[in-house]
Amino acid sequence: MSRDNKRDGFSGSFGMIAATIGSAVGLGNLWRFPYLVGQNGGAAFILIYLFFSIVICTPIMVAELVIGRRGQGAPAISFFNLSGSRKWASVGILAMFTCILILSFYGVVGGWTIKYLVNSVCLQYREGAVLDSASAFGQFVSGSGGPIVHFLIFTALTGAVILAGVTKGIERTSKFMMPVLFVLVVLVAVRSITLPGSAEGLKYLFKPDFSQIDSNVVLAALGQAFFSLSLGAGMQITYGSYTRSDDNIIQNAFISSFSDTLFAILAGCAIMPAVFAFGINPGEGAGLAFVTLPQVFVQMPMGGLFAILFFATLFLAAITSAISLFEVVTASMMEIWKMTRRKAALLTGSIIVALGCVCSLSQGVLSGFTVFGKNVFDLFDYVSSNVLMLLTSLLVVLFVGWRLKKEAFLDEVTAGGRARMPRSVGAVLFYIIKYAAPLVIFAIVLSVIIK
Ligand code: PFF
């Protein structure tokens, strides 16, 4: 627990929380959450999602933070430092691999946000503009050069923050961007809710329809909670290792997950009421943010301005999350292969660029290439959030609950008595991590497999 002087790290709780919320709040909240709600029974999905976030996922976040701060390294190194076993260290390698997969498709969507931000600044979505947003989106993403150039810009921006380091790059950017992001999403939500006819959208978000719930919906809610809270990808382990030794991990985890959930609901309120106000189908799927919303903006008073605000929000949310994914891979390379930050970041960037280009092209020229009926983009998304993140999280909770042991856990969450956190709260979380979390993850995965 002596990181404060040796490693680059966060200067205090606020920096740590800003960076963690920066990672958690992302495309998952603004782009994925609203369309999953749309496809999976509205508020019933939200309730299941809330339950998983609070009862299962926040304790898992604490488990990851404990591994990172106690293990003092990137995921593989932390596991190794705590267990002395290469087998456990390979869980960290799995996490690094997961981040690479996520970042490959995430960066492509990040590129789309840049394109749409530029379009909105050029007033393409102003009130009264004539627009065929579905074919414009289809044409853009299925092209080759355009989306790749935007993806490269997005990846280069992300890489630049990583090159600047943890305190000067990640922490500084997050402290500035996160408050801006909250203000932006609140502005868009207020506009959306005050449109005539928006009540239907609020009803859709907040009135549960339990008849739609089946094991796939439950898995989607759990997968989304993991994805949104950035679990099972080693990210919390990595940021945990940058956390000051006297910081209150449990409190930070609850603040981060509360803010993330609040943000997802705000994003729902920013999007659904407007979609309903203009009589558009909410079950549009992944195209919701890029196809449906431009259609909404052109019909909305001052739509041009709100388009800029919305796509700026989407871009900022995407880049702060991409930064955390990039950092996991770069930190892992630095520590496992003893590379400089510069070399590791360049190598990370090159791998992401290679895979990301394939993801991007899978929307167009490579769309015929499918595995299990999914193109590369959808495959990476599905495998990372519904398989790898759950698997890694299962291993994380088994490690903390059964290998690390309760005393070590309690010592870490109370910062050796320096953090104001009752041991009883730590003990409850420990039992959730030891028994409830593995059971829930296991049961849900099983129910989908045997279906
Ligand atoms: N939580 C991010 C989002 O909701 O968009 C995605 C993400 C970031 C997942 C970082 C995993 C991760 F390590």
Side-chain angles (χ1 to χ4, degrees):
M1 298 213 292
S2 57
R3 84 122 276 271
D4 299 348
N5 306 320
K6 274 201 262 153
R7 305 176 75 224
D8 191 5
F10 299 127
S11 60
S13 273
F14 178 57
M16 187 266 173
I17 291 172
T20 309
I21 298 177
S23 169
V25 168
L27 294 170
N29 304 59
L30 280 149
W31 167 70
R32 221 159 168 270
F33 182 78
Y35 87 74
L36 283 177
V37 173
Q39 287 174 343
N40 293 298
F45 175 85
I46 298 188
L47 285 178
I48 300 176
Y49 171 80
L50 278 179
F51 173 79
F52 282 140
S53 293
I54 298 165
V55 180
I56 303 295
C57 292
T58 309
I60 299 178
M61 188 190 287
V62 173
E64 284 203 24
L65 291 172
V66 163
I67 296 178
R69 192 169 68 180
R70 217 172 170 78
Q72 282 303 294
I77 302 294
S78 282
F79 271 108
F80 187 77
N81 287 347
L82 293 177
S83 66
S85 137
R86 280 179 185 270
K87 274 198 196 123
W88 279 113
S90 61
V91 180
I93 304 282
L94 184 68
M96 176 175 106
F97 179 68
T98 308
C99 286
I100 291 176
L101 282 194
I102 300 176
L103 199 46
S104 308
F105 71 86
Y106 206 87
V108 172
V109 184
W112 300 351
T113 67
I114 295 184
K115 166 75 177 169
Y116 273 69
L117 180 57
V118 172
N119 284 353
S120 37
V121 171
C122 299
L123 294 182
Q124 282 195 18
Y125 311 126
R126 69 186 181 281
E127 187 188 357
V130 183
L131 184 73
D132 179 355
S133 60
S135 62
F137 177 68
Q139 253 173 27
F140 171 66
V141 301
S142 62
S144 299
I148 288 185
V149 168
H150 288 86
F151 159 66
L152 292 179
I153 297 173
F154 183 84
T155 308
L157 290 173
T158 311
V161 175
I162 297 301
L163 277 178
V166 180
T167 324
K168 293 204 187 108
I170 302 174
E171 178 171 342
R172 204 181 268 175
T173 338
S174 313
K175 275 180 170 167
F176 162 71
M177 284 185 182
M178 293 325 289
V180 176
L181 202 56
F182 267 95
V183 173
L184 288 179
V185 79
V186 167
L187 284 177
V188 183
V190 168
R191 163 74 282 192
S192 176
I193 293 172
T194 50
L195 286 167
S198 64
E200 274 308 302
L202 289 173
K203 222 194 253 165
Y204 179 78
L205 277 177
F206 297 115
K207 196 166 158 237
D209 172 8
F210 287 104
S211 66
Q212 291 212 22
I213 303 299
D214 62 12
S215 61
N216 279 329
V217 172
V218 177
L219 178 74
L222 186 66
Q224 172 62 12
F226 275 89
F227 188 81
S228 194
L229 293 175
S230 307
L231 300 179
M235 175 267 138
Q236 305 286 354
I237 299 182
T238 310
Y239 280 13
S241 76
Y242 300 144
T243 303
R244 284 167 51 118
S245 58
D246 56 352
D247 259 6
N248 189 332
I249 300 184
I250 295 184
Q251 184 181 303
N252 291 0
F254 273 96
I255 295 176
S256 306
S257 65
F258 173 78
S259 311
D260 181 64
T261 307
L262 178 69
F263 198 94
I265 308 264
L266 280 173
C269 291
I271 293 173
M272 286 305 169
V275 166
F276 275 82
F278 296 106
I280 294 172
N281 173 17
E284 174 64 44
L288 190 61
F290 298 101
V291 176
T292 313
L293 287 183
Q295 214 58 57
V296 169
F297 292 132
V298 297
Q299 299 178 53
M300 184 193 265
M302 303 220 317
L305 174 66
F306 283 95
I308 297 176
L309 295 182
F310 178 79
F311 287 113
T313 312
L314 202 57
F315 165 69
L316 289 182
I319 194 153
T320 45
S321 299
I323 288 169
S324 70
L325 290 159
F326 206 118
E327 177 64 15
V328 175
V329 186
T330 301
S332 300
M333 289 180 175
M334 282 167 67
E335 293 175 20
I336 298 173
W337 294 297
K338 308 269 173 283
M339 288 181 179
T340 59
R341 176 166 281 272
R342 201 184 151 77
K343 240 193 204 154
L346 283 177
L347 186 56
T348 308
S350 316
I351 298 172
I352 300 306
V353 163
L355 290 173
C357 285
V358 179
C359 278
S360 181
L361 294 174
S362 78
Q363 303 285 320
V365 287
L366 297 183
S367 60
F369 176 72
T370 57
V371 183
F372 302 125
K374 291 186 190 303
N375 65 28
V376 176
F377 183 105
D378 293 338
L379 184 74
F380 280 17
D381 182 1
Y382 187 86
V383 169
S384 52
S385 50
N386 289 347
V387 183
L388 294 179
M389 292 173 111
L390 292 183
L391 178 64
T392 309
S393 298
L394 184 61
L395 294 166
V396 161
V397 289
L398 291 177
F399 181 78
V400 172
W402 298 87
R403 171 88 196 220
L404 193 63
K405 300 287 157 58
K406 191 171 162 196
E407 268 321 301
F409 178 83
L410 291 181
D411 178 55
E412 197 56 48
V413 293
T414 55
R418 284 177 297 162
R420 271 203 288 149
M421 179 50 64
R423 281 171 72 88
S424 54
V425 175
V428 171
L429 291 186
F430 183 77
Y431 287 117
I432 294 181
I433 291 166
K434 183 163 180 164
Y435 299 108
L439 271 176
V440 168
I441 301 175
F442 194 71
I444 288 173
V445 173
L446 198 69
S447 74
V448 173
I449 294 172
I450 57 178
K451 203 173 163 202

